[in-house]
Amino acid sequence: MAMPSESDIAANLDRVRRRIARAARAAGRDPSEVELVAVSKTHPAESVRAALAAGQRVFGENRVQEASAKFPPLRNEFPDLRLHLIGPLQTNKVNDAVVLFDAIETVDRPKLAAALAAAMAKTGRRPVCFIQVNTGEEPQKAGIAPALADDFIGECRTRYMLPVVGLMCIPPVDAPPAPHFTMLRDIARRNGLARLSMGMSSDFEVATALGATSVRVGTAIFGARETRQDRAV
Ligand SMILES: *Cc1c(COP(=O)(O)O)cnc(C)c1O
């Protein structure tokens, strides 16, 4: 598939924003409560630049290395750009991650929480954190098991003092997403967490109806990805 042009990306962004707004209003929500995270993984800096030109400021990347090659020059030009890490984070990359990202959406195990706390103390940077919950309890997928989520959220807050603001999930590919979004919302509510990162190109309207405060949309903005390295796990 050909790389979309700058005007394609602008039109796609406009369409996605309208669909989010429509889904929010239909659910009795204020569209401004739903942040669009444009997922630019595997796409070149020119595509990100096209989105920036169209007013988009929040981006998602799933790899520290790829993001650190692509984003620092763009950030110099657009100081209000914000970057979310949405892929698995290895503990040996936490220092780079806290310097580069404004939000880390994939906190899912005590060892990582401890490493993040140490990296934040060392660098003085405190990106907000989302706890990733493996709502489908898929063995190959990252995320804390739902049954362990309350304890882990508590540990991240009181033991590691991480700035935990919300939860994130990636529902199983072959299942209806709504029960997963509802489960994530329920865990957030009982833990007093305001933010819910849920919904991708195929289901961001469902997620918006069920309370998403961020939707992570890649394909519907930037077109299909050519590589397989980006699989959400
Ligand atoms: C790739 C990815 C997305 C975006 O997926 P699309 O289907 O292209 O919108 C969202 N969230 C995560 C965690 C991802 O890895």
Side-chain angles (χ1 to χ4, degrees):
M1 191 190 229
M3 200 177 106
S5 69
E6 180 166 341
S7 63
D8 290 338
I9 289 172
N12 290 345
L13 268 169
D14 187 54
R15 199 173 306 120
V16 169
R17 289 188 192 121
R18 284 169 195 276
R19 287 172 60 189
I20 293 168
R22 197 184 314 122
R25 279 193 291 268
R29 303 185 63 203
D30 179 345
S32 70
E33 290 169 11
V34 188
E35 176 174 77
L36 173 59
V37 178
V39 176
S40 50
K41 63 187 184 195
T42 82
H43 295 289
E46 303 85 82
S47 292
V48 177
R49 199 178 285 284
L52 284 160
Q56 179 65 28
R57 287 295 180 273
V58 189
F59 295 87
E61 285 280 337
N62 68 335
R63 294 177 152 219
V64 176
Q65 214 172 341
E66 182 184 341
S68 51
K70 220 190 284 181
F71 275 88
L74 294 167
R75 226 193 240 291
N76 285 340
E77 264 179 83
F78 298 89
D80 57 342
L81 186 162
R82 278 179 299 129
L83 192 55
H84 289 219
L85 178 66
I86 61 169
L89 178 57
Q90 290 163 338
T91 50
N92 63 354
K93 300 236 173 77
V94 289
N95 282 315
D96 292 341
V98 300
V99 170
L100 187 62
F101 291 93
D102 304 289
I104 300 202
E105 298 205 12
T106 50
V107 182
D108 68 347
R109 58 197 191 279
K111 195 178 163 204
L112 176 59
L116 281 168
M120 288 183 192
K122 183 174 163 185
T123 61
R125 286 262 312 161
R126 290 182 66 75
V128 297
C129 294
F130 291 72
I131 309 295
Q132 182 177 356
V133 182
N134 186 357
T135 56
E137 301 187 58
E138 296 173 276
Q140 81 286 6
K141 197 171 266 179
I144 188 86
L148 304 176
D150 294 350
D151 283 351
F152 181 59
I153 293 163
E155 194 181 1
C156 286
R157 286 167 148 170
T158 60
R159 177 159 181 207
Y160 298 113
M161 313 278 215
L162 296 179
V164 179
V165 297
L167 303 179
M168 180 271 224
C169 77
I170 309 167
V173 255
D174 301 324
H180 298 273
F181 297 154
T182 307
M183 181 192 293
L184 200 71
R185 183 182 63 187
D186 291 345
I187 298 171
R189 274 190 187 154
R190 68 177 183 249
N191 286 281
L193 289 169
R195 292 172 65 179
L196 287 172
S197 172
M198 55 190 201
M200 313 188 359
S201 290
S202 58
D203 54 20
F204 66 84
E205 285 150 313
V206 180
T208 297
L210 291 171
T213 63
S214 316
V215 292
R216 309 176 308 266
V217 180
T219 309
I221 297 169
F222 295 111
R225 291 178 292 271
E226 287 178 5
T227 60
R228 297 171 62 95
Q229 59 99 6
D230 60 293
R231 284 291 159 87
V233 286

